Amino acid sequence: MRLSRFFIDAPLSLGEHDLPEAQAHYIGRVLRMAAGDAVQLFDGSGQEYLGQLLEVGKKTVRVQLNETFAGPADSSLKVHLGQGLSRGERMDWAIQKATELGANIITPIVSERCEVRLKDERADKRLAHWRQVAISACEQCSRSSVPQINPPVLLADWLKACDEQLKLVLHPVAEPLVSHQKPDSLAFLIGPEGGLSEAEVEQAKAAGFQAARLGPRVLRTETAPVVALAVAQQLWGDF
């Protein structure tokens, strides 16, 4: 049986720990685990911890951590994904799969053809939701580090802030990804459901981005990061 693995948003160490309320509720009330069950915890530091549950109550869970070891190393290719903001499950899918494929930073981008507008409290709730999507993906795929999920920003502001060695904007008319030399760090810009306008593509090029294509077919906004990151990891990363 697969060992249950959970992210704890607090520094871990060997010994006894009371788990945060959210994880305690999930372990005790949802999964209905019991004292004596084995668990594996990680805190995003790169270390993994093995232990067992000592006490499982209605509101509290106490765990004994007995062993620590280094988790799987991140890819040597550092990737910042600028993902056009899209609706509901499409954005969740993009963030989930980008996390599984090793993206280090994910920034939702507000561009001309975005159909989603987030403000104030709603934006805060979506950001918290996206971060939980990334955490859940890490728990599932055995990743020991959690990617940084940024609040949505305007395309122009994101372009100015990008300082990765290789900066690429996906475009159907361009040289293939394989034509570029291996970088140490990479920024991908992917448009929303309606795509980037030609003016925005030119804006990206003026900011140092190069156009790159993934193949002969136009991909959906939630498919493009999966393919782009998989190809990049195959060419330059840890695949």
Side-chain angles (χ1 to χ4, degrees):
M1 185 173 67
R2 182 175 177 179
L3 186 63
S4 297
R5 183 172 179 269
F6 306 99
F7 172 74
I8 304 299
D9 193 14
L12 293 172
S13 59
L14 297 179
E16 294 186 12
H17 294 267
D18 289 318
L19 299 188
E21 183 176 350
Q23 284 78 13
H25 176 269
Y26 184 66
I27 288 171
R29 308 295 286 179
V30 179
L31 297 182
R32 297 189 179 278
M33 298 178 71
D37 286 348
V39 292
Q40 183 171 335
L41 307 181
F42 67 108
D43 58 8
S45 67
Q47 289 296 115
E48 300 275 336
Y49 294 83
L50 293 175
Q52 63 181 155
L53 301 178
L54 295 177
E55 177 187 348
V56 180
K58 292 183 178 180
K59 295 184 178 180
T60 61
V61 169
R62 191 161 184 80
V63 62
Q64 170 74 39
L65 299 180
N66 302 314
E67 181 183 345
T68 183
F69 59 94
D74 281 345
S75 173
S76 60
L77 178 66
K78 306 305 178 185
V79 182
H80 185 169
L81 173 64
Q83 176 69 36
L85 191 58
S86 57
R87 292 174 291 184
E89 292 182 356
R90 291 182 177 179
M91 197 67 188
D92 290 358
W93 172 274
I95 290 173
Q96 180 190 69
K97 301 311 174 187
T99 299
E100 293 177 24
L101 289 163
N104 304 94
I105 305 173
I106 303 171
T107 303
I109 303 295
V110 179
S111 59
E112 181 182 328
R113 295 173 179 166
C114 280
E115 298 181 5
V116 179
R117 293 291 185 270
L118 298 176
K119 293 183 179 180
D120 304 329
E121 183 179 351
R122 186 175 174 220
D124 293 339
K125 288 182 178 179
R126 292 308 297 172
L127 181 59
H129 171 75
W130 292 330
R131 285 176 172 162
Q132 187 55 53
V133 168
I135 287 169
S136 296
C138 289
E139 291 175 336
Q140 182 275 325
C141 74
S142 296
R143 181 172 174 177
S144 291
S145 64
V146 178
Q148 176 181 325
I149 312 295
N150 290 328
V153 298
L154 294 173
L155 174 61
D157 294 334
W158 186 75
L159 293 175
K160 291 177 184 177
C162 277
D163 60 358
E164 282 73 22
Q165 184 180 6
L166 178 61
K167 299 185 286 187
L168 299 176
V169 53
L170 296 188
H171 196 276
V173 183
E175 293 298 314
L177 204 62
V178 70
S179 65
H180 296 276
Q181 297 297 312
K182 179 181 179 179
D184 293 324
S185 58
L186 171 65
F188 266 128
L189 172 58
I190 295 174
E193 291 161 276
L196 297 170
S197 68
E198 284 302 318
E200 289 173 327
V201 173
E202 292 304 316
Q203 184 182 12
K205 290 179 178 179
F209 280 71
Q210 302 177 59
R213 66 178 173 85
L214 295 174
R217 289 165 291 279
V218 176
L219 303 178
R220 289 181 178 271
T221 183
E222 70 272 25
T223 309
V226 177
V227 178
L229 290 168
V231 173
Q233 294 289 13
Q234 177 66 43
L235 291 173
W236 308 313
D238 60 357
F239 275 21

